[in-house]
Amino acid sequence: MPKRFASIWFRRLLTDQKAIRQPELKGKAYVFAEPDHGRMLITALTDEARKYGVTEGMTVADARVIAPDLLVFEGKPGRNLKLLTGLAEWCLRYTPLVQLDPPDGLLLDVTGCTHLKGGEKAYLQEIVSRLKTAGYDIRPAIADTIGAAWGVARCATSGLIVGEGAHRNALMPLPPYALRLPADLLIKLRNLGLHQISSFIYMPDSILRRRFGKNMILRLHQALGQETEHLFPLKEPVPYTEQLPCLEPIKTRPAIEIALNDLLERLCKRLYGEGLGLRSAMLTWYRIDGKNGNIKIGTNHASNRVQHLFKLFSIKLDTIAPGMGIEMFILDALKTESVSDRQSEIWSSKGGADSEEVAELLDRVAGRIGSASIQRYLPGEHYWPERTPKPDPDIEKAPESEWRTDKPRPIQILDHPEPITAMALTPDYPPKLFIWKGEQHVIVGADGPERIEREWWIEPGEHRDYYIAEDEAGRRYWLFRSGHYDAENNQHWYLHGFFA
């Protein structure tokens, strides 16, 4: 398929945006000015200001001499880039490949996109109509090359859609400025009487290079399609994406859910056919007022199950603000992975971290409280209790050893044992009562001790004698005394965990 590019030139980007925010300025003479070496230079102006003879680069003081009523607003460096970025995001509904073209333009790769709007003419008319309705004065063009589209958009008076293979003829009557040449080179061409591209387009490259430099050759060849020129898109293209233009603006959650389900069914069908599943996805919505937003989900296992993915998105659907209505949804598969046959075995009854049911449960929990709040522990090959559970976020990682099951262990172990005040009636017996955080617990039953020696090859210290103790309320604790019983010194008791 031959490549086709569109160039959109915002003739008065900054002043148009000012009038959109302040409609009372429409039709008035005003400018933007920025400080430069102690002076305020005009950087953007309206057509009404231009009628007075005001131009870019003029000082504000000089401009006010010829236009006393001129309104002056302070310009902000980089403001145009911020505006172009917002407009480029808006244009993503027409093509996924949009590049900023500072200071006042956008470049679009429209290859394979225009038929969705009924052809290039209808495609361009819709963009023009909507941007003009918003308040922007634009000139667009479509051609085979980026350079030809850029030149035609800014310099041609008609024929803004250049047919396939006709870009050379379209460039011929245009001035050299249409080739995106620097100012010094344009002055040189003008002084030589070369006022149109046709004046030098057939000159040998060797002569053009010798007289005007290699940049001249590069831009000419790019415009003619003899030199490849690529876009650097605002958003990296996603190989798996689905779009859903809405016939009527959507405002309600049930309608959003229908749209989401439709997108997921189409996307998952593609992924299933290629043996892939989603690991992360993003749903982007575009409102009719030009604003957009997105929500993202992530999964622990690659999944192409519509119901599961829908549940993950549904947790966040309340964050969507439809405003006056949503006109388009785009679902991007940001990361995909191969799906094993295990997924089709519907949720076999086996448990464990490799269970799809567990993975989907974790996805839903993570969607509500955040993935950072979920921890997974693997058995560590240590005797010391603090070192036995080893945190590992990778749900698919297999443990290097098995959990110990020969001795009872609490369901919750404290990161650090907490000191308690305990009283034992007989040495080497479990405590009869203990006080923890100001609360007294009377022990009615206990089991132990289980002596655990310190891992001397890691650190020196005393051993521990652990007891499983149950208080009057039926709560069970994992307590230990540090070191041997010593009648001359106070015993050091600690609380280290809780049983179910």
Side-chain angles (χ1 to χ4, degrees), residues 189-243:
L189 289 166
R190 186 186 61 191
N191 292 337
L192 291 172
L194 303 175
H195 301 295
Q196 293 182 324
I197 295 176
S198 59
S199 304
F200 55 83
I201 193 171
Y202 292 114
M203 288 184 182
D205 289 349
S206 57
I207 295 177
L208 291 175
R209 184 179 294 106
R210 185 172 62 252
R211 296 292 300 271
F212 306 109
K214 61 181 180 181
N215 192 41
M216 171 81 163
I217 300 294
L218 175 66
R219 287 304 194 189
L220 181 60
H221 285 187
Q222 286 177 338
L224 294 175
Q226 298 170 351
E227 185 80 25
T228 304
E229 184 177 6
H230 299 286
L231 289 182
F232 295 94
L234 179 73
K235 175 186 172 186
E236 287 295 326
V238 178
Y240 297 96
T241 183
E242 292 291 341
Q243 292 188 10

Side-chain angles (χ1 to χ4, degrees), residues 258-476:
I258 293 173
L260 172 61
N261 195 65
D262 180 73
L263 287 169
L264 282 172
E265 285 183 350
R266 282 193 271 152
L267 184 62
C268 289
K269 185 177 180 181
R270 287 181 59 196
L271 295 174
Y272 179 79
E274 300 182 27
L276 297 175
L278 278 177
R279 285 299 307 273
S280 64
M282 180 172 69
L283 176 68
T284 305
W285 63 90
Y286 295 89
R287 299 186 345 190
I288 59 175
D289 60 1
K291 297 182 179 179
N292 60 70
N294 62 71
I295 53 178
K296 296 179 182 178
I297 62 166
T299 63
N300 285 294
H301 281 184
S303 173
N304 50 34
R305 290 191 66 245
V306 174
Q307 296 89 342
H308 172 56
L309 299 173
F310 182 84
K311 287 180 181 177
L312 298 183
F313 273 118
S314 65
I315 296 172
K316 302 180 179 180
L317 287 185
D318 289 337
T319 62
I320 298 178
M324 299 176 65
I326 298 172
E327 60 177 346
M328 175 177 282
F329 291 94
I330 297 179
L331 180 62
D332 293 323
L334 302 178
K335 183 179 179 182
T336 59
E337 287 182 358
S338 298
V339 177
S340 65
D341 295 337
R342 181 177 57 199
Q343 185 170 357
S344 61
E345 296 171 0
I346 291 280
W347 334 89
S348 61
S349 58
K350 67 178 182 179
D354 57 346
S355 164
E356 295 291 347
E357 291 170 309
V358 174
E360 292 194 355
L361 173 63
L362 291 176
D363 291 342
R364 293 197 294 274
V365 174
R368 292 186 180 279
I369 64 174
S371 58
S373 302
I374 300 176
Q375 296 289 335
R376 186 198 182 204
Y377 293 92
L378 296 177
E381 295 182 337
H382 290 278
Y383 293 105
W384 211 237
E386 294 95 315
R387 301 190 183 105
T388 300
K390 185 172 60 177
D392 196 312
D394 186 358
I395 193 172
E396 296 184 347
K397 184 176 180 180
E400 298 175 353
S401 60
E402 298 293 330
W403 289 102
R404 284 192 66 178
T405 57
D406 57 327
K407 298 289 185 181
R409 287 291 180 267
I411 61 170
Q412 181 185 0
I413 294 182
L414 300 177
D415 293 337
H416 302 285
E418 296 191 7
I420 58 175
T421 302
M423 183 186 72
L425 299 180
T426 306
D428 292 335
Y429 265 56
K432 192 61 181 175
L433 63 86
F434 71 92
I435 300 173
W436 177 54
K437 291 185 176 180
E439 184 179 357
Q440 179 174 293
H441 302 266
V442 178
I443 305 301
V444 297
D447 187 20
E450 176 193 354
R451 176 160 296 181
I452 300 180
E453 295 289 348
R454 190 175 289 272
E455 294 171 325
W456 52 266
W457 57 92
I458 297 178
E459 60 178 353
E462 299 282 355
H463 64 269
R464 294 172 179 174
D465 287 332
Y466 277 90
Y467 294 90
I468 301 173
E470 181 175 337
D471 66 5
E472 292 175 310
R475 293 170 293 193
R476 298 196 300 160

Side-chain angles (χ1 to χ4, degrees), residues 17 39 57 102 116 122 154 169 176 194 252 267 291 320 342 371 373 410 489 498:
Q17 197 272 340
R39 304 170 302 169
L116 299 174
R154 285 160 177 77
N169 291 333
L194 303 175
T252 64
L267 184 62
K291 297 182 179 179
I320 298 178
R342 181 177 57 199
S371 58
S373 302
N489 297 318
F498 304 92

